[in-house]
Amino acid sequence: MLSIEHFYLLLALFLLYAGGRNLRERRFAHAAFWGLLAVLFASGKPILDASKLGNALPSQLAGAAVIALALLATRMRREHIAEAPEAQRLASAQRLGHRLFWPALLIPAVTVLIVLFGPTLAIGGTKLFGAGSITLIGLALACVLATIVAVLVTRERPVAALGEGRRLLDTMGWAALLPLVLATLGGVFAASGVGEAVASLVSAVIPSDSRVACVLAYGLGMVLFTVIMGNAFAAFPVMTAGIGLPLLIQQHGAAPAILGSLGMLTGYCGTLMTPMAANFNLVPAALLELDDPNAVIRAQLPTAIPLLVVNLLLMYWLAFR
Amino acid sequence: MNYWPLLGVAWVVVGFVLRANPVIVVVSAGLVSGLAAGKSIGELLALLGESFVSNRALLMFAMTLPTIGLLERAGLREHALRWIARWRGLTLARLLTGYLAARQGLSMLGLIDIAGHAQTVRPLLAPMAESAASKPNGPVTREDTQKVHALAAATDNVGRFFGEDVFLAFGAVLLIQGFYAEHGIVLEPLQIALWAIPTAIAAFVIHAVRIVFFQRALDRRMAEKATTAEARDAVD
């Protein structure tokens, strides 16, 4: 029976490999970073189980490890890791052609197939897929299959897949961890009452009986918070805990799935408007050597504003069917 | 009501403004908010560790890296470029809308990092857009070139952002699912992802219309410039 925990272990092995390669190249901060992350991934389930039983020590150690990761992140330098030579890539592209697309397309295709049919698969009465979200298990299994197919198509040695995966991981460096730490921050903010503080500020201002006012407060709040934080991921848990859940879902009966999806996308309209989203708005301006560092934001505003209006309307129409 | 935890939000803003490493800013902001809420160090560490571990799914995308890396080594990008270069009748509007559609389509399939500002916009899309823009009336001015480049970068962002949530197993959808699960509402990612489709369509339509208007305005400016230059030549 395959459960998501098996794939977390597999991911931990990959992280450990990345750490090992860095250790051999004497990039100690990187080695420690990926190594520590591997330990956190491998021990995730025992940590959560222990904390359910009331033993806080493992999760406290994990918390200390997270702080260590953050400290290590400041020591990590982004370095260009050499790719295969261009002549070799061109020759291989010539030889393989469209076959290169298949392994990449396999990842979403297999994921969707497993989500649709996975829950019914069984061997001798035992379900093939066990505990955990079927989508995640599907994605993980699809990635494993795609790697095998990619090795077959390109006729490379299997270890080359690990090496190239590590190249991409180290190119991203600490940025790969950003979604995870932002989600963690969301959790900590929620537990510290940031959501309630925001909600109480907002409800002091808006008439919470009015559905329109609540939709506006939630949507515009997502935009404003995203503009401030530079990332809709950080805004989502705070705004949804503060306004979405208590006012729109519990009081006005909005559908959670629809509200969540549209709320996040409304936040993305904010990402298009803010220099805080440096990776998307300032970095390309620098890469393209534009005179105005905000030129990309200027090019995006006329798309972001009408889209924001559309999202607010969609939220109002769809979430309360 | 205790408003002190909002200090964490201010901390994030200051940290980003000062360009500190985002990971350290984010983690320390959590500590600031927790302390301001009156939590003990032990409670805070446990909270941080538990919250981190329960969000492990957000690094699952790393499982795609070996495949993508191997395909890159085998010339995936080079092949994609040559394939696109064969298409004829390419105008600026067709190029950028085509890229928008491809970018949205690919990120719907979860292939987010196959394109991007460093990978495709700077080396491929920006020069192609510039040459498509100068096809009808000769080279564009420096000012317009910059506008074309900025629009190319914007097109990449719009395509990426409003495609990725339609794929069921990527960051945002998992974050939404995880948030609701913590609050006792159980949803499958697919239920959430489907509702990103209307916005994806709206984003495509709005941005595509803008691209067409941009090209029209650009062509008009260039045509005017060409006629005034001709008139000047005639006077000479």
Side-chain angles (χ1 to χ4, degrees):
Chain A
M1 198 169 75
L2 282 172
S3 90
I4 192 64
E5 293 303 324
H6 295 119
F7 293 106
Y8 283 141
L9 283 179
L10 201 60
L11 185 52
L13 287 177
F14 172 49
L15 293 170
L16 207 58
Y17 172 85
R21 285 285 295 260
N22 276 304
L23 190 63
R24 224 169 22 175
E25 291 164 20
R26 307 183 63 79
R27 291 149 50 102
F28 295 116
H30 296 72
F33 186 82
W34 299 126
L36 201 52
L37 201 55
V39 173
L40 274 173
F41 266 69
S43 59
K45 192 167 160 39
I47 291 172
L48 291 177
D49 287 349
S51 114
K52 250 182 223 139
L53 293 172
N55 179 3
L57 187 63
S59 43
Q60 284 171 344
L61 286 176
V66 173
I67 295 175
L69 281 177
L71 291 172
L72 283 168
T74 62
R75 318 264 337 144
M76 286 166 84
R77 297 275 167 274
R78 289 210 207 177
E79 283 164 33
H80 188 72
I81 299 175
E83 268 188 81
E86 200 185 342
Q88 183 195 322
R89 297 203 308 264
L90 277 171
S92 157
Q94 186 92 46
R95 184 165 53 89
L96 295 169
H98 283 338
R99 265 178 291 171
L100 282 169
F101 290 133
W102 291 114
L105 289 172
L106 211 57
I107 296 174
V110 171
T111 308
V112 170
L113 283 178
I114 291 177
V115 169
L116 293 179
F117 303 109
T120 58
L121 288 180
I123 298 173
T126 319
K127 281 253 165 92
L128 195 54
F129 299 112
S133 157
I134 187 75
T135 315
L136 265 186
I137 298 178
L139 173 69
L141 189 59
C143 289
V144 175
L145 288 177
T147 308
I148 295 171
V149 173
V151 167
L152 293 176
V153 166
T154 58
R155 301 215 191 106
E156 292 274 1
R157 290 168 306 134
V159 74
L162 280 180
E164 292 295 316
R166 175 258 161 164
R167 171 175 65 80
L168 293 181
L169 196 61
D170 264 322
T171 312
M172 281 189 263
W174 51 260
L177 204 62
L178 214 46
L180 217 171
V181 285
L182 283 167
T184 307
L185 179 68
V188 176
F189 271 2
S192 311
V194 171
E196 282 92 346
V198 170
S200 110
L201 278 181
V202 170
S203 51
V205 182
I206 63 157
S208 62
D209 294 338
S210 157
R211 196 180 269 181
V212 180
C214 290
V215 167
L216 281 176
Y218 180 59
L220 297 179
M222 272 301 294
V223 172
L224 185 68
F225 234 69
T226 304
V227 166
I228 292 174
M229 314 267 280
N231 191 309
F233 277 33
F236 182 81
V238 174
M239 293 312 294
T240 312
I243 303 175
L245 204 55
L247 297 182
L248 284 163
I249 294 173
Q250 281 157 5
Q251 191 183 328
H252 290 289
I258 304 173
L259 190 75
S261 185
L262 286 169
M264 184 68 92
L265 290 163
T266 311
Y268 283 8
C269 295
T271 318
L272 294 176
M273 303 176 186
T274 177
M276 300 298 275
N279 283 352
F280 300 111
N281 296 338
L282 299 185
V283 170
L287 268 176
L288 294 168
E289 295 161 46
L290 304 181
D291 296 335
D292 174 8
N294 291 316
V296 179
I297 297 177
R298 268 182 240 286
Q300 279 164 179
L301 275 178
T303 298
I305 292 167
L307 193 57
L308 167 63
V309 175
V310 169
N311 267 330
L312 291 173
L313 290 173
L314 283 173
M315 215 188 278
Y316 186 72
W317 281 329
L318 297 175
F320 302 101
R321 288 170 314 147
Chain B
M1 177 55 63
N2 179 7
Y3 287 109
W4 286 110
L6 289 175
L7 266 183
V9 179
W11 183 273
V12 174
V13 175
V14 171
F16 275 111
V17 168
L18 295 178
R19 304 271 167 96
N21 180 298
V23 179
I24 194 97
V25 170
V26 166
V27 170
S28 57
L31 297 177
V32 167
S33 259
L35 289 174
K39 292 191 184 302
S40 71
I41 300 284
E43 280 177 311
L44 247 177
L45 282 180
L47 181 60
L48 198 60
E50 218 177 307
S51 184
F52 185 89
V53 171
S54 1
N55 283 305
R56 275 177 301 165
L58 288 169
L59 201 71
M60 199 49 112
F61 77 89
M63 299 269 289
T64 63
L65 297 181
T67 304
I68 306 284
L70 202 58
L71 293 176
E72 275 189 7
R73 178 192 173 86
L76 177 65
R77 234 178 298 150
E78 287 72 14
H79 174 66
L81 174 60
R82 257 199 329 224
W83 184 49
I84 290 170
R86 280 207 303 267
W87 297 352
R88 285 166 204 289
L90 212 58
T91 63
L92 177 66
R94 282 184 200 156
L95 173 74
L96 288 183
T97 0
Y99 184 81
L100 180 64
R103 183 78 165 117
Q104 256 191 317
L106 286 172
S107 67
M108 275 179 198
L109 298 175
L111 300 168
I112 292 169
D113 291 311
I114 203 169
H117 297 294
Q119 301 95 312
T120 47
V121 176
R122 164 152 186 148
L124 308 176
L125 187 65
M128 283 167 81
E130 193 183 329
S131 81
S134 46
K135 248 186 205 169
N137 289 305
V140 276
T141 60
R142 182 182 145 77
E143 199 192 337
D144 276 331
T145 306
Q146 298 226 343
K147 279 190 188 155
V148 169
H149 285 180
L151 188 65
T155 304
D156 185 87
N157 281 338
V158 172
R160 178 200 163 113
F161 290 170
F162 298 98
E164 65 180 351
D165 276 15
V166 180
F167 183 59
L168 27 159
F170 264 82
V173 174
L174 292 177
L175 181 65
I176 297 168
Q177 186 211 17
F179 171 85
Y180 281 133
E182 276 173 33
H183 290 82
I185 301 174
V186 179
L187 298 165
E188 266 301 320
L190 189 60
Q191 286 171 285
I192 301 164
L194 285 178
W195 293 101
I197 294 175
T199 305
I201 296 170
F204 179 82
V205 172
I206 293 172
H207 198 67
V209 167
R210 284 202 49 228
I211 291 171
V212 170
F213 280 131
F214 179 88
Q215 176 168 17
R216 280 199 197 152
L218 180 69
D219 286 350
R220 209 177 312 125
R221 276 200 298 276
M222 287 170 68
E224 267 167 30
K225 214 186 71 185
T227 43
T228 44
E230 258 171 49
R232 206 174 42 232
D233 289 347
V235 171
D236 292 346

